[in-house]
Amino acid sequence: MIRNFLELFNPGLVGAGLLALSLAVPVQAAPKRDGRSAVVSAKAHVSTKTRAKAPMKTVKAAAAGPRARAPLNAPVVRVAPARPSFGQLNGLHATDDPLDLKSSVALVIDQDTRQVLFSKNPEAVLPIASITKLMTALIVTEAGLPLDEALTITQDDVDTEKGSRSRLNVGTVLSRGEMLHLALMSSENRAAHALGRTYPGGLPAFIAAMNAKARLLGMSGTRYVEPTGLSSQNQSSASDLARLVDAAYEHQIIRQLSTMPQAQVAVGNRHLQFRNTNGLVHNPAWDIGLQKTGYISEAGRCLVMQAQLAGRKLIMVLLDSAGRYSRIGDAERIRKWLDGDMHGIVEAAVRRPH
């Protein structure tokens, strides 16, 4: 059903999905790691400004043109403020860092030596949104379940809590490999849920396997309650997620499926085009070996990657980034700093009075 992917398994595997929506729950800030282990480390402090609620805004519709006046019966639209993330509610965005990142949590580790190159609130436990799907993929892959087995999207896979959209209608039949591709490349929620639901023993057994794997990897601050990331109770820290990225990177199929820029998948009589949720995979300046994005309002914008930068294999974790494109901007700032283009920024930031 999917083109140009017969070399991995049969039938071919291509796919993608929509950005995962999610919920979130309170964050826990764990004790700060010894700063001696990091080349760059940020010190957290809580800002009362972060806790303030944004006022409701009133927007009146106005006619176009400099002289035009809004009609007397123009509708009044009340715009609700964006819901703050739990990182914001707990003051993590008040943490200064030398690169002025928009992410309240960041960690960059040399994959070979385990040297910490950059850290910012690395032990803070936050909702992780669709980064959850990386563990989902790891459980499915290591279980050795047949990737060519047909799975059907059912009503159980429909998100009734957040009402997130999907192009996989109830009744859609795809192979397990295609579902895996959709979940990894474009964060398709129904595909991820179907992967967990069809695991031997069902969803309860799958969730138990997720948490058991987390414990085995030493992810002591991590908890999973479902396979998509829609629940805010799926929580982890940057330090834990670096371990997950390292473990998932060992599997070639996860590396390849998560980094394909785009793909076409046959859904019934339709052929749908899907794109990777991480725009950096299209950027020739990046050599990305594995990636996963995530977003829910309570978690902020999240991104984990394995990439080769400045001649080193690195693991990068960015959580709770404020702004639609800010996680990409943060990744670029880190890349340029590592490449040497931002030499001196760290020293200047360290000298800056706080």
Side-chain angles (χ1 to χ4, degrees):
M1 298 175 71
I2 292 180
R3 304 173 182 175
N4 300 326
F5 209 55
L6 295 177
E7 65 274 17
L8 285 184
F9 53 87
N10 190 22
L13 211 175
V14 175
L18 305 176
L19 281 174
L21 303 177
S22 317
L23 307 172
V25 292
V27 58
Q28 310 169 31
K32 182 174 176 61
R33 175 177 288 182
D34 186 353
R36 290 175 298 178
S37 64
V39 174
V40 182
S41 179
K43 183 178 180 181
H45 61 276
V46 177
S47 169
T48 55
K49 294 182 180 179
T50 313
R51 301 177 184 272
K53 294 183 178 179
M56 295 286 287
K57 297 181 180 179
T58 300
V59 179
K60 295 185 178 181
R67 297 183 181 179
R69 295 182 179 180
L72 295 178
N73 61 346
V76 176
V77 180
R78 293 186 65 80
V79 179
R83 297 172 63 183
S85 70
F86 279 88
Q88 291 172 323
L89 291 174
N90 285 268
L92 295 181
H93 280 270
T95 304
D96 291 325
D97 74 81
L99 299 182
D100 291 327
L101 303 182
K102 300 300 182 183
S103 302
S104 72
V105 171
L107 184 63
V108 181
I109 296 177
D110 187 300
Q111 190 177 17
D112 293 325
T113 67
R114 308 298 174 181
Q115 179 187 10
V116 175
L117 304 180
F118 189 98
S119 68
K120 178 181 180 182
N121 298 322
E123 304 299 336
V125 177
L126 292 167
I128 58 173
S130 286
I131 305 301
T132 295
K133 294 182 177 71
L134 197 55
M135 178 63 85
T136 297
L138 186 60
I139 297 302
V140 171
T141 300
E142 293 191 343
L145 302 177
L147 295 178
D148 59 354
E149 180 180 354
L151 306 182
T152 303
I153 297 295
T154 71
Q155 191 63 40
D156 290 338
D157 302 318
V158 176
D159 168 28
T160 58
E161 186 172 0
K162 288 284 286 183
S164 57
R165 298 179 180 180
S166 172
R167 287 191 281 176
L168 300 184
N169 297 328
V170 172
T172 297
V173 179
L174 296 173
S175 71
R176 178 176 281 108
E178 291 170 325
M179 295 286 193
L180 184 63
H181 195 175
L182 291 167
L184 281 172
M185 189 179 82
S186 22
S187 214
E188 169 54 55
N189 290 316
R190 293 183 185 179
H193 193 274
L195 290 172
R197 177 177 53 79
T198 57
Y199 184 80
L203 204 56
F206 190 79
I207 296 168
M210 295 174 76
N211 286 298
K213 184 64 176 180
R215 291 191 298 270
L216 185 63
L217 293 175
M219 300 169 64
S220 58
T222 299
R223 178 193 180 204
Y224 297 102
V225 300
E226 52 84 32
T228 69
L230 287 169
S231 173
S232 59
Q233 296 182 58
N234 289 353
Q235 300 178 0
S236 189
S237 67
S239 295
D240 282 2
L241 292 177
R243 295 173 183 265
L244 175 60
V245 171
D246 191 42
Y249 184 78
E250 295 180 5
H251 298 278
Q252 188 266 348
I253 189 170
I254 297 179
R255 297 198 303 269
Q256 184 159 357
L257 296 185
S258 71
T259 57
M260 290 183 68
Q262 58 188 357
Q264 187 179 87
V265 57
V267 178
N269 296 325
R270 301 176 299 163
H271 285 81
L272 302 180
Q273 190 75 22
F274 293 93
R275 292 177 63 84
N276 200 303
T277 55
N278 183 358
L280 291 178
V281 301
H282 301 274
N283 189 334
W286 284 85
D287 181 6
I288 300 174
L290 178 147
Q291 70 80 38
K292 187 69 195 78
T293 63
Y295 170 72
I296 52 177
S297 59
E298 296 88 342
R301 307 282 173 173
C302 305
L303 173 64
V304 298
M305 293 191 295
Q306 189 278 352
Q308 187 153 332
L309 298 173
R312 308 172 83 167
K313 292 171 61 178
L314 304 176
I315 293 175
M316 185 182 302
V317 180
L318 297 169
L319 302 179
D320 187 35
S321 188
R324 184 173 182 181
Y325 302 106
S326 55
R327 61 189 169 188
I328 301 300
D330 284 353
E332 286 287 4
R333 288 180 67 81
I334 291 172
R335 179 183 66 83
K336 292 176 182 177
W337 168 61
L338 290 170
D339 284 342
D341 295 341
M342 299 180 70
H343 181 72
I345 280 187
V346 173
E347 294 181 2
V350 169
R351 291 195 301 268
R352 183 193 310 151
H354 300 296

